[in-house]
């Protein structure tokens, strides 16, 4: 049972008939995700991989009882798509779409907050509950079921790290790709309490990135947590004032440097990895220590 | 996207904000003519995207047209904090009684827009935020109702600020600019209270959200000028996500995070990245060819490391792109390649027999390319 979704979570895909939407619908079905419907205005009656397409989210939800939606629509329609999902009664929204204007996101955040809906993304790879379900575009083949929880601001770097864990025999519980934009629905600070409460997760990996202060904000909460945390910050060598692909990955006005994030994490007890291949080693150590203290308590 | 001071001021003037009379020029002779026509002491300001421009000598006072020409000679064509000055803004000198700071930007943690106001302007606001945070008034802007008159009144009345009515108009117009243009930052610093007791925009910065450019057709004219580097300009033309850096190891990867991770890994191994380049998800052979060509335009590049983690990106497509590039251009530097994930086996088969150097992991690749490009410095 994952912190956000499990094998029984019913999922719809907004923008299912597009190139990305249809490709990833298939990939999700292969992994075992219960994709029960798609939404593309004007395409009702069509189907993708045998999954029916509806005109609106409302229709899709009333026909399928879906509670989650994965959004693949073009950036200029993302704001409407997210608002439609909220109106349609969806409780978990994953916006994969990249390039959503910041002002659209500010509006959307207000909407999801006022309706108590969880939004992940935009510009994110989605989430996976290892061995159960995946919502988004993370390749299913890299996962192994286990007790390591991950939350990341990056996409492909996360795949690299999950792959390294799997090769080292360290399975995962939930992997949440939070997205690389300046304004995102769910940040480290929102996801950490879920991992802390999750009985399956024993150790947590946070993959941060230069830009913003999400890592520093999370540090305050981390101090209160009981589970060990391994951290990695990407973009340590990126220069100031240059935007590194992700709209959020820019060091501006002295804010968002890797040093400040590493320092904040170290001070709150996070084991910070220098390189990605150090991560599995740190996880093993943390697990060993955790098990040891458990035995002592016995 | 950053736009220049003179462009920001053009926009602000259009919205009725009090902007100093000024003209932009790209030659000392034009600067002389402008200063002569103004018939007053002027200030000559370098138009480059750097912070601390004044301290670096980018703003010069001139009392006569001759002095203005000399100032322009000192600035034009010369580097200012690493960027070549191509244009200067010539403005009338203003006698300033005091300076304020006014800005609107995105607060990432609050996920809202925020209005910032300080009765002490002129300095870097970040500096002030550290040394004297209480001097900065903050007003979070409601995403539905936007700024309210009552809130702005309350913010202004807490402070010792002259002519509140005029300042209110400036604030509401600045917010309108910010919203109309999909800005991420609209800043007036300093906002001068002049000796003749009126407000005047002395310097202005506007950054536009790149993601919103599709609905900001008016920004197209500014776009071209925002890219000063020739290779970056060419990359943009070919729709390649490329940022030029100053090292010698060319880097290509799929996904911004992985590329940044690869840059870090190369630095960790003792090399210096020459660039950031993300071919994105699901890149076809053509995109890979473009990427390689862009990187090799930089004569500082002594070797390239391609790091591909195939998810939706297919490794055989990447391999095809590299082969196409090597047929189109003569590649003289070593290329190290790591392919893993979707169709990695097919990709490696395609590349066997070429001069490319295959590696198994990101770490191994970083070490290899650093070794081939001159080793640890």
């Amino acid at each position: 049972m994952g912190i956000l979704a499990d094998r029984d979570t019913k999922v719809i895909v907004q923008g299912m008939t597009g190139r990305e939407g249809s490709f990833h619908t298939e990939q999700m079905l292969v992994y075992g995700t219960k994709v029960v419907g798609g939404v593309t205005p004007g395409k009702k009656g069509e189907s993708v991989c045998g999954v029916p397409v509806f005109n609106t989210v409302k229709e899709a939800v009333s026909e399928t009882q879906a509670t989650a939606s994965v959004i693949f629509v073009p950036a200029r329609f993302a704001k409407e798509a997210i608002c439609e999902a909220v109106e349609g009664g969806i409780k978990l929204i994953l916006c994969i779409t990249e390039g959503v204007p910041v002002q659209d996101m500010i509006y959307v955040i207000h909407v999801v907050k006022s309706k108590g809906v969880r939004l992940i993304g935009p510009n994110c790879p989605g989430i996976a509950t290892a061995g159960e379900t995946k919502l988004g575009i993370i390749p299913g083949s890299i996962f192994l079921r286990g007790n390591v929880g991950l939350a990341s601001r990056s996409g492909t770097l996360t795949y690299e790290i999950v792959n390294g864990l799997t090769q080292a025999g360290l399975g995962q519980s939930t992997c949440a790709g939070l997205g690389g934009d300046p304004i995102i629905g769910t940040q480290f600070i929102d996801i950490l309490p879920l991992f802390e409460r999750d009985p399956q997760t024993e150790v947590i990996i946070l993959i941060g990135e230069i830009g913003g202060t999400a890592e520093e904000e999370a540090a305050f909460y981390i101090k209160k947590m009981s589970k060990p945390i391994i951290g990695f910050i990407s973009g340590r060598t990126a220069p100031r004032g240059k935007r590194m692909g992700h709209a959020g990955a820019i060091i501006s006005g002295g804010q968002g440097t890797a040093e400040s994030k590493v320092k904040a994490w170290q001070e709150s007890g996070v084991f910070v990895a220098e390189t990605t291949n150090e991560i599995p080693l740190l996880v093993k150590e943390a697990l060993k220590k955790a098990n040891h203290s458990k035995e002592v308590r016995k | 996207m950053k736009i220049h001071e003179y462009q920001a001021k053009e926009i602000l003037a259009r919205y009725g904000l009090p902007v100093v009379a000024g003209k932009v020029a790209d030659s000392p002779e034009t600067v002389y003519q402008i200063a002569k026509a103004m018939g007053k002491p002027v200030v000559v300001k370098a138009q480059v995207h750097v912070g601390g421009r004044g301290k670096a000598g980018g703003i010069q006072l001139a009392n006569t047209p001759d002095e203005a020409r000399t100032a322009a000679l000192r600035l034009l064509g010369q580097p200012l904090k690493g960027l070549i000055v191509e244009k200067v803004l010539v403005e009338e000198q203003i006698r300033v009684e005091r300076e304020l700071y006014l800005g609107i930007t995105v607060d990432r943690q609050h996920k809202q827009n925020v209005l910032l106001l300080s009765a002490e302007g002129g300095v870097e606001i970040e500096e002030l935020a550290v040394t004297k945070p209480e001097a900065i008034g903050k007003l979070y802007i409601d995403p539905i109702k936007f700024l309210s008159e009552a809130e702005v009144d309350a913010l202004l009345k807490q402070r010792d600020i002259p002519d509140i009515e005029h300042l209110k108009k400036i604030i509401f117009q600045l917010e309108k600019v910010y919203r109309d243009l999909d800005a991420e930052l609209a800043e007036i610093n300093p906002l001068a209270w002049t000796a003749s007791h009126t407000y005047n925009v002395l310097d202005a910065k506007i950054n536009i959200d790149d993601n919103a450019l599709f609905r900001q057709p008016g920004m197209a004219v500014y776009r071209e000028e925002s890219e000063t580097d020739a290779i970056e300009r060419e990359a943009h033309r070919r729709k390649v996500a490329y940022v030029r850096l100053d090292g010698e190891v060319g880097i290509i990867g799929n996904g911004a995070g992985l590329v940044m991770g690869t840059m870090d890994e190369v630095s960790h191994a003792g090399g210096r990245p020459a660039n950031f380049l993300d071919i994105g998800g699901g890149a076809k052979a053509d995109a890979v060819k473009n990427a390689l060509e862009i990187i090799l335009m930089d004569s500082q590049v002594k070797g390239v490391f391609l790091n591909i983690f195939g998810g939706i990106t297919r490794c055989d497509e990447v391999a095809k792109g590299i082969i196409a590039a090597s047929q189109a251009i003569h590649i003289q530097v070593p290329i190290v390649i790591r392919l893993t994930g979707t169709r990695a086996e097919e990709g490696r088969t395609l590349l066997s027999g070429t001069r490319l150097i295959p590696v198994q992991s990101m770490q191994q690749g970083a070490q290899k390319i650093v070794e081939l490009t001159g080793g640890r410095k």
Side-chain angles (χ1 to χ4, degrees):
Chain A
M1 162 97 214
I3 60 169
L4 295 160
D6 60 31
R7 64 177 93 250
D8 298 319
T9 304
K10 288 182 177 172
V11 181
I12 57 166
V13 174
Q14 288 174 260
M16 189 188 246
T17 54
R19 193 171 69 105
E20 301 277 307
S22 57
F23 177 80
H24 289 290
T25 295
E26 190 186 348
Q27 297 295 310
M28 284 190 267
L29 287 167
V30 167
Y31 197 70
T33 307
K34 283 213 167 58
V35 184
V36 294
V39 177
T40 303
K43 300 242 170 139
K44 185 183 176 170
E46 289 187 18
S47 70
V48 172
C49 304
V51 177
V53 177
F54 302 90
N55 280 337
T56 65
V57 173
K58 216 168 220 148
E59 233 180 304
V61 168
S62 82
E63 292 287 324
T64 66
Q65 281 77 53
T67 55
S69 177
V70 185
I71 297 179
F72 286 100
V73 304
R76 61 185 71 192
F77 306 122
K79 173 178 159 185
E80 283 168 26
I82 296 170
C83 292
E84 195 197 334
V86 173
E87 285 302 312
I90 292 290
K91 291 294 160 210
L92 172 66
I93 302 171
L94 295 110
C95 184
I96 310 302
T97 306
E98 182 180 345
V100 183
V102 170
Q103 296 304 327
D104 290 5
M105 281 314 300
I106 287 177
Y107 178 82
V108 157
I109 294 286
H110 172 82
V111 172
V112 296
K113 246 195 209 162
S114 63
K115 296 282 164 76
V117 172
R118 175 164 306 283
L119 168 69
I120 295 190
N123 191 14
C124 81
I127 60 167
T129 304
E132 292 196 35
T133 189
K134 68 160 193 146
L135 285 68
I137 63 172
I138 309 180
S141 59
I142 59 175
F143 290 103
L144 173 72
R145 199 178 159 80
N147 49 19
V148 181
L150 285 100
S152 173
R153 284 175 63 195
S154 165
T156 37
L157 187 67
T158 316
Y159 311 166
E160 177 86 42
I161 290 166
V162 170
N163 194 48
L165 291 171
T166 296
Q167 282 177 354
L170 297 161
Q172 306 87 35
S173 52
T174 293
C175 173
L178 305 179
D181 276 2
I183 306 272
I184 50 176
T186 300
Q187 295 178 291
F188 291 135
I189 191 123
D190 308 308
I191 213 96
L192 282 168
L194 308 182
F195 276 127
E196 178 76 355
R197 285 198 295 271
D198 177 37
Q200 194 189 334
T201 304
E202 287 183 27
V203 53
I204 301 149
I205 300 176
L206 297 181
I207 304 158
E209 191 168 274
I210 52 159
T213 53
E215 290 79 5
E216 289 89 333
E217 303 273 327
F220 290 101
Y221 184 80
I222 290 171
K223 281 183 192 155
K224 297 187 289 188
M225 288 178 66
S226 68
K227 294 181 183 176
I229 297 181
I230 317 297
F232 179 76
I233 304 284
S234 123
R236 284 191 182 207
T237 54
R240 279 163 195 267
K242 293 236 182 190
R243 180 182 140 167
M244 292 295 130
H246 282 168
I250 178 166
I251 300 169
S252 48
Q255 274 216 325
T257 65
E259 296 81 53
S260 134
K261 293 170 189 303
V262 169
K263 187 166 168 266
W265 275 1
Q266 280 172 340
E267 282 171 3
S268 49
V270 175
F271 303 99
V272 181
E274 275 282 319
T275 61
T276 53
N277 57 342
E278 248 180 60
I279 296 174
L281 305 173
L282 290 174
V283 170
K284 276 184 186 162
E285 269 174 45
L287 281 172
K288 214 189 281 170
K289 264 187 224 158
N291 287 332
H292 179 70
S293 62
K294 252 188 232 166
E295 268 161 36
V296 170
R297 263 183 267 141
K298 272 182 200 163
Chain B
M1 180 182 89
K2 291 177 181 175
I3 64 173
H4 285 300
E5 176 195 4
Y6 79 92
Q7 297 165 332
K9 283 182 171 172
E10 277 170 19
I11 294 167
L12 294 180
R14 242 183 283 145
Y15 278 77
L17 273 82
V19 174
V20 199
K23 274 187 173 157
V24 72
D26 57 8
S27 78
E29 200 41 48
T30 322
V31 170
Y32 173 85
Q33 294 300 340
I34 293 169
K36 199 175 161 195
M38 281 183 176
K40 290 176 183 165
V42 297
V43 53
V44 182
K45 304 166 91 178
Q47 299 297 292
V48 280
H49 298 300
V50 298
R53 178 181 57 164
K55 278 182 209 154
I59 298 175
Q60 307 211 350
L61 298 175
N63 290 319
T64 65
D66 279 315
E67 279 179 33
R69 176 166 46 204
T70 312
L73 268 169
R74 274 200 296 265
L75 292 172
L76 285 166
Q78 300 302 312
L80 192 77
K81 288 184 145 183
L83 290 176
I84 301 290
V85 179
E86 285 172 2
K87 283 184 179 167
V88 291
L89 175 62
V90 187
E91 284 179 350
E92 216 176 275
Q93 276 185 31
I94 299 284
R95 280 179 49 226
V96 177
E97 202 169 282
R98 59 183 285 197
E99 295 183 334
L100 282 77
Y101 172 94
L102 181 61
I104 303 175
T105 190
V106 176
D107 186 311
R108 298 168 61 146
Q109 280 322 111
H110 278 81
K111 304 180 187 181
Q112 270 182 306
N113 296 306
V114 62
L115 171 77
L116 300 169
L117 172 88
S118 171
E120 299 170 42
V123 290
E124 293 270 323
I125 195 74
E126 293 90 356
E127 221 169 273
L128 194 64
V130 174
T131 55
K132 217 176 162 190
E134 71 282 0
I136 303 171
K138 275 190 185 182
L139 188 57
Y140 289 98
I141 301 175
D142 187 287
I144 309 294
K145 290 180 266 174
F146 308 115
L147 273 183
S148 84
E149 184 125 11
E151 285 173 326
V152 174
D153 268 337
L155 180 76
L156 297 181
K157 281 175 183 153
Q158 286 164 17
R159 281 149 221 282
D160 159 40
I161 288 173
D163 198 352
I164 286 181
E165 282 311 307
H166 189 191
L167 184 54
K168 247 162 65 181
K169 273 188 203 138
I170 293 174
I171 289 173
F172 280 98
Q173 281 308 95
L174 186 67
E175 195 221 10
K176 194 158 164 31
V177 170
Y178 182 83
R179 273 198 279 141
D180 285 356
L181 264 56
D182 268 301
E184 291 174 323
L185 172 75
E187 183 180 81
I188 303 175
N189 186 33
L191 174 64
W193 177 248
T194 67
S196 43
H197 288 190
T198 178
Y199 280 111
N200 213 313
V201 175
L202 278 204
D203 194 0
K205 246 186 217 152
I206 298 177
N207 295 354
I208 310 293
D209 177 8
D210 290 283
N211 288 344
L213 287 174
F214 71 86
R215 61 185 178 203
Q216 293 294 339
M219 289 299 118
V221 286
Y222 299 142
R223 172 111 218 187
E224 188 76 351
E225 280 194 55
S226 73
E227 287 151 349
T228 41
D229 185 90
I231 303 178
E232 284 185 0
R233 218 172 336 209
E234 179 60 20
H236 176 243
R237 202 182 63 76
R238 299 198 199 182
K239 299 191 165 49
V240 176
Y242 168 89
V243 178
R244 191 176 185 180
L245 305 170
D246 54 7
E248 58 287 317
V249 180
I251 288 168
I252 299 176
N254 61 321
L258 185 66
V259 179
M260 265 194 285
T262 311
M263 285 163 53
D264 291 346
E265 203 65 51
V266 165
S267 302
H268 192 76
R272 290 191 314 152
N275 67 281
F276 167 98
L277 195 155
D278 173 15
I279 57 168
K284 296 274 182 260
D286 210 35
V288 178
K289 176 173 171 277
N290 268 327
L292 208 48
E293 285 175 0
I294 290 287
I295 282 193
L296 294 171
M297 282 176 193
D298 180 353
S299 59
Q300 280 198 65
V301 171
K302 291 192 203 153
V304 180
F305 177 25
L306 264 114
N307 186 18
I308 306 297
F309 197 105
I312 40 171
T313 306
R314 287 167 36 175
C315 292
D316 55 342
E317 278 290 330
V318 173
K320 280 181 203 159
I322 300 167
I323 292 167
S326 62
Q327 281 161 357
I329 50 171
H330 180 52
I331 300 175
Q332 289 167 308
V333 298
I335 295 182
V336 170
I337 182 160
R338 182 267 188 133
L339 293 176
T340 193
T342 314
R343 295 191 189 237
E345 216 34 68
E346 289 90 332
R348 281 186 220 122
T349 311
L350 281 171
L351 293 175
S352 63
T354 66
R355 286 172 43 232
L356 269 63
I357 301 146
V359 288
Q360 295 302 319
S361 70
M362 173 153 88
Q363 287 74 30
Q364 210 184 32
Q367 280 155 11
K368 190 79 198 165
I369 196 69
V370 171
E371 188 187 304
L372 292 168
T373 53
R376 204 173 260 278
K377 289 202 177 60

